[in-house]
Structures are given as C-alpha cells and as structure tokens.
Amino acid sequence: MYHMVRDAVPGARFNKMRVAPPVFRRQVEWLAREGWTFCFVSELLRPASKPGEKRVALTFDDGYRDNYTAAFPVLLEFNAKATLYPVVDRRPSLDWSTKKKSKHSSGELGKEPKIADAEILEMVASGLVELGGHGLTHPNLPQLSEAEAAKEITGCKQWLEQTFKVEAPTFCYP
C-alpha cells in the first residue's frame, strides 16, 4: 500500500507516506524476479488461476501526481498491475489529513501535487491500472452519519465510473 513515490522531505511529518523512486523500483523488481503475479485488488477476491500462485496487489491511495510520474513508468517496465484509489476532490493545496485529525494541520500534504484526470485516463488505458473508490473528500467516515458515509462511498464509485468509463469494483477505506 503506497501513497507517494517520491523522495522524503527533510523534516516533514509525513515521510512514512513517501517511498523513494529507486526503492519503489527495487521493490517491484524483486517481486517480479521472485515470481509474484501482480493483480488488481478485485482479482484477489477470486481464486488463483494456478495452485500455489504467489499474488500481490500494489495499491496507491489518495491520488498524488507522483503515482503517474514516478510509479507508473515502473509499472510499465515490469508489466505490473496496480489499483489506484484516488480521492475525487483532488484540488491543488487540499490537505485531506486535516479532516481526519485536527493535529495534522501543517498543510504539508496540501503542498503535494495531485494526479490529473488525464493522467488517470492514461494509466487506466494501459490495462495495468484499475480504479477503486477512496471517497469523494477523504472523510473520517466514523464521524459521518450513515447517509453521509453512503454518499461518500457510492458517490465516489459513481463519479469514477462515469468519468473514466470503467468499473471501480473495490473501495479502500480512507
């Protein structure tokens, strides 16, 4: 489960959400070399096609632009499938973490560039990336009413499917 594929930011609070591009490449290369089969999360819900098959699902949460600029080229290089869980509301400077915990009000994540719809389209068109829901606004779901939570989850799925003309079969809890 990845968020950002980019170098750490000196002194940053959320460096645990960042994986340096060379490290990400080594991880994917190791999985490929060791015979792992890259799957979409939706494929993990079905039985393996071969007994004893080693399967792995790479996932990317939130929708940071480096998923396209740094991770996607590696996925292409190794023909590795991944599931992208973008938040629908990816406005520049939006910091989702402050909605989850007020103590996360540094604005650090708001400075991270977000992935564009055109970049998502290219990733999906490659056949290596599946989309899944991650909410309209990356809410703290337990703080919402049942109706608000349902809107976040189903609204996200509907928006992804209408916008990108693909099924979004899974949901990743934000």
Side-chain angles (χ1 to χ4, degrees):
M1 190 258 304
Y2 297 96
H3 284 83
M4 291 175 267
V5 178
R6 62 157 299 181
D7 291 325
V9 176
R13 178 180 203 143
F14 294 100
N15 276 331
K16 290 182 180 180
M17 293 175 58
R18 297 175 175 96
V19 175
V23 172
F24 176 73
R25 188 184 184 288
R26 281 194 307 270
Q27 291 170 348
V28 173
E29 181 180 33
W30 182 88
L31 289 164
R33 186 177 60 244
E34 294 297 317
W36 287 83
T37 299
F38 296 97
C39 298
F40 298 136
V41 169
S42 65
E43 293 174 324
L44 290 179
L45 302 175
R46 299 188 286 267
S49 58
K50 303 172 217 160
E53 180 179 39
K54 299 186 299 186
R55 301 187 302 167
V56 63
L58 304 178
T59 65
F60 296 89
D61 288 5
D62 299 338
Y64 293 104
R65 186 156 191 269
D66 55 58
N67 297 175
Y68 173 76
T69 59
F72 186 49
V74 175
L75 298 178
L76 290 169
E77 179 182 351
F78 291 97
N79 199 36
K81 292 180 178 180
T83 302
L84 178 65
Y85 290 107
V87 176
V88 170
D89 187 355
R90 296 181 310 277
R91 286 174 285 154
S93 77
L94 188 63
D95 189 342
W96 302 301
S97 66
T98 58
K99 289 185 178 188
K100 304 220 25 133
K101 296 180 181 174
S102 59
K103 67 180 181 177
H104 289 180
S105 60
S106 68
E108 176 187 333
L109 296 178
K111 295 173 187 166
E112 295 291 342
K114 313 300 189 295
I115 194 167
D117 288 355
E119 294 164 337
I120 293 173
L121 274 169
E122 183 180 338
M123 293 173 79
V124 169
S126 74
L128 292 176
V129 175
E130 170 184 74
L131 294 180
H134 199 50
L136 292 169
T137 64
H138 201 279
N140 188 338
L141 289 173
Q143 292 182 351
L144 302 181
S145 69
E146 191 172 319
E148 291 169 324
K151 180 181 176 187
E152 280 283 339
I153 295 166
T154 59
C156 174
K157 177 178 175 58
Q158 291 168 348
W159 187 89
L160 290 171
E161 291 179 347
Q162 290 172 0
T163 301
F164 299 108
K165 309 294 186 239
V166 295
E167 185 182 4
T170 60
F171 181 79
C172 178
Y173 195 88

